[in-house]
């Protein structure tokens, strides 16, 4: 596997799990809700989206579903089919939010440890129901008829080989530039420590991604890694394949979820959520119905997890109950803690850090008899890194983000001026 292909697969995982982690961060980081059952909404979003978009009478499927929303709107062309899939995703998000509402009403009055244990128990029950009831979502057999939006359009070719290489290559270089600019801004805000981290990471990544492949594969490998959006094997003239499209779709969804949560937490509403996290009695004393705010935060975070589940389904192409184990939630907690609690940029960084270690070490060339030991070593490495970060940087790599919410200031004459 070329390095660029591995990076595309890895970044798709990172984008999906970052969206999943941002939903958890809204609950845990900003509102103080310890939801160990967050993966249940990931599962609900995946299943509901699949059954709303899959065709009726699919072979090997005996559960409810087959509503074929993309086919219904497919008479309008590829755009209509995509619209039908988007409606399916919205249905999955709404279902996840409604299930979290049903879970939250009796459980959110509990505090800390009791809430965490109860949420984990309910998530385990939901997973068991999905696994045991074949009439619901096909039980343990899973679903392999997952609608993939715009699949018929790919591989996408815009002309001849040279035209495709120039256009998609330019987009690839622009992506490198924008990503680098964003990383520099994020780490520079952290002061000297951030610049130190950036100064160490960038050379290591550059050597691993550009230098080493060039040494082993020559200019061909360097070109493939540099022009990563262009796949020379995608059709007779090259172009963009479907895996690259799924990556862009996942990044777009992550951008939308990030924008939504940033707008939420950088508002008076977000101040109330953070006040609930610090001391629930304070906003309650000011007349705020804290239970309603916690319930709304739970529903919004669960809806984001549902959207991540829908993206997970099209990326994998098959879903089954055993894919949604409780460990997925703890992976997200690890990413949130490593990157920085109550920091959405930190969630993305922590997710990339976690999955980079977990998936990147799979390509270490070791004798087959040591593969089991390598798998255990990966988990030990993640644990050691987490301990070191908690010891030397307990607030995470980026720490809690700052908030700059304009407040009215009172002048000497008794009036107020908005600033």
């Amino acid at each position: 596997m070329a390095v660029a292909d591995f990076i595309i697969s890895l970044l798709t995982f990172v984008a999906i799990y970052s969206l999943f982690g941002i939903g958890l961060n809204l609950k845990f980081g900003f509102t103080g809700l310890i939801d160990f059952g967050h993966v249940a909404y990931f599962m609900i979003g995946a299943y509901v989206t699949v059954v709303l978009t899959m065709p009726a009478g699919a072979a090997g499927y005996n559960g409810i579903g087959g509503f074929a929303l993309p086919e219904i709107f497919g008479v309008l062309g590829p755009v209509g089919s995509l619209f039908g899939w988007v409606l399916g995703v919205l249905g999955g998000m709404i279902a996840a939010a409604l299930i979290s509402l049903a879970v939250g009403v009796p459980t959110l009055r509990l505090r800390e440890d009791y809430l965490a244990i109860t949420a984990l128990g309910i998530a385990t029950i939901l997973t068991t129901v999905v696994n045991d009831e074949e009439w619901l979502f096909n039980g343990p057999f899973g679903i392999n008829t997952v609608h993939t939006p715009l699949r018929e359009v790919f591989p996408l070719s815009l002309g001849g080989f040279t035209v495709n290489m120039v256009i998609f290559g330019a987009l690839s270089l622009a992506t490198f530039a924008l990503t680098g600019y964003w990383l520099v801004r994020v780490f520079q805000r952290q002061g000297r420590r951030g610049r130190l981290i950036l100064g160490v990471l960038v050379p290591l990544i550059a050597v691993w991604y550009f230098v080493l492949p060039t040494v082993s594969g020559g200019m061909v490998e360097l070109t493939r890694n540099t022009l990563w959006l262009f796949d020379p094997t995608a059709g007779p003239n090259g172009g963009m394949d479907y895996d690259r499209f799924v990556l862009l779709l996942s990044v777009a969804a992550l951008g939308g979820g990030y924008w939504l949560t940033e707008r939420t937490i950088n508002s008076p509403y977000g101040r109330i959520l953070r006040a609930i996290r610090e001391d629930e009695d304070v906003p309650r004393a000011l007349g705020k119905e804290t239970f309603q705010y916690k319930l709304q935060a739970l529903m919004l975070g669960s809806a984001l997890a549902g959207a991540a589940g829908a993206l997970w389904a099209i990326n994998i192409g098959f879903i089954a109950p055993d894919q949604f184990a409780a460990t997925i939630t703890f992976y997200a907690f690890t990413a949130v803690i490593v990157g920085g609690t109550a920091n959405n940029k930190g969630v993305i960084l922590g997710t990339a850090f976690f999955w980079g270690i977990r998936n990147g070490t799979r390509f270490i060339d070791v004798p087959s008899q040591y593969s089991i030991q390598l798998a255990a070593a990966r988990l030990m490495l993640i644990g050691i890194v987490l301990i070191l970060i908690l010891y030397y940087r307990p607030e995470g790599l980026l720490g809690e983000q700052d908030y700059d919410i304009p407040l009215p200031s009172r002048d000497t004459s008794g009036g107020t001026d908005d600033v």
Side-chain angles (χ1 to χ4, degrees), residues 18-28 38 297 300-302 304-305:
S18 293
L19 181 59
F20 179 67
I22 285 176
L24 178 63
N25 197 35
L26 183 63
K27 301 177 184 180
F28 172 64
H38 191 58
L300 180 56
S302 300
L304 293 176

Side-chain angles (χ1 to χ4, degrees), residues 75-357:
V75 295
L76 303 176
V79 176
S81 177
L82 178 63
F83 177 73
W85 178 79
V86 171
L87 287 180
V89 175
L90 291 176
M93 295 175 66
I94 292 172
L98 291 178
I99 294 296
S100 69
L101 173 64
V103 171
V105 169
T107 62
L108 283 182
R109 302 187 188 279
L110 302 173
R111 292 181 179 272
E112 298 176 352
D113 297 345
Y114 299 101
L115 173 62
I117 295 171
T118 303
L120 178 61
I122 293 176
T124 303
I125 292 172
L126 289 174
T127 304
T128 303
V129 169
V130 171
N131 183 74
D132 292 347
E133 300 298 327
E134 187 174 342
W135 64 270
L136 185 59
F137 295 129
N138 213 35
F141 303 104
I143 306 175
N144 56 14
T145 310
V146 177
H147 176 75
T148 49
L150 298 182
R151 183 75 190 199
E152 65 278 6
V153 177
F154 292 87
L156 181 62
S157 178
L158 302 177
F161 187 90
T162 303
V163 173
N164 285 321
M165 185 171 66
V166 170
I167 294 177
F168 291 115
L171 292 175
S172 302
L173 295 176
T175 303
F176 277 125
L178 290 174
T179 303
Y181 174 74
W182 180 77
L183 286 174
V184 169
R185 290 194 60 185
V186 169
F187 282 100
Q188 280 186 341
R189 291 175 182 174
Q190 307 304 314
R192 186 176 64 180
R193 181 176 291 152
R195 290 190 293 270
L196 177 62
I197 295 174
L198 189 66
V200 173
L201 286 180
V202 170
L204 288 176
I205 293 174
V207 169
W208 174 73
Y209 189 73
F210 293 108
V211 178
L212 294 180
T214 305
V215 172
S216 60
M219 293 302 298
V220 174
E221 193 70 13
L222 176 62
T223 303
R224 291 194 65 179
N225 290 341
T226 304
L227 310 181
W228 61 277
L229 276 176
F230 174 70
D231 182 6
T233 64
N237 295 320
M240 179 187 292
D241 63 10
Y242 194 73
D243 290 338
R244 286 161 171 79
F245 168 72
V246 173
L247 169 60
L248 297 179
L249 183 64
S250 302
V251 171
L254 172 60
Y258 178 87
W259 175 83
L260 177 62
T261 51
E262 285 292 302
R263 289 294 301 269
T264 300
I265 62 178
N266 287 286
S267 67
Y269 181 88
R271 283 207 305 273
I272 297 174
L273 294 183
R274 296 195 300 276
I276 293 173
R277 177 195 63 193
E278 298 298 333
D279 188 347
E280 187 176 350
D281 292 334
V282 174
R284 186 185 293 120
L286 296 175
K288 303 298 182 180
E289 293 290 341
T290 57
F291 178 78
Q292 294 182 8
Y293 283 94
K294 291 194 293 184
L295 198 59
Q296 293 164 8
L298 182 70
M299 293 176 67
L300 180 56
S302 300
L304 293 176
L311 293 169
W312 166 266
I314 66 168
N315 182 51
I316 298 300
F318 170 78
I319 57 173
D322 57 2
Q323 295 175 341
F324 305 98
T327 52
I328 301 296
T329 298
F330 298 111
Y331 291 163
F333 267 105
T334 302
V336 170
I337 294 171
V338 168
T341 305
N343 190 327
N344 288 326
K345 295 185 182 70
V347 172
I348 299 174
L349 177 63
T351 304
F353 189 86
F354 176 84
W355 286 103
I357 294 177

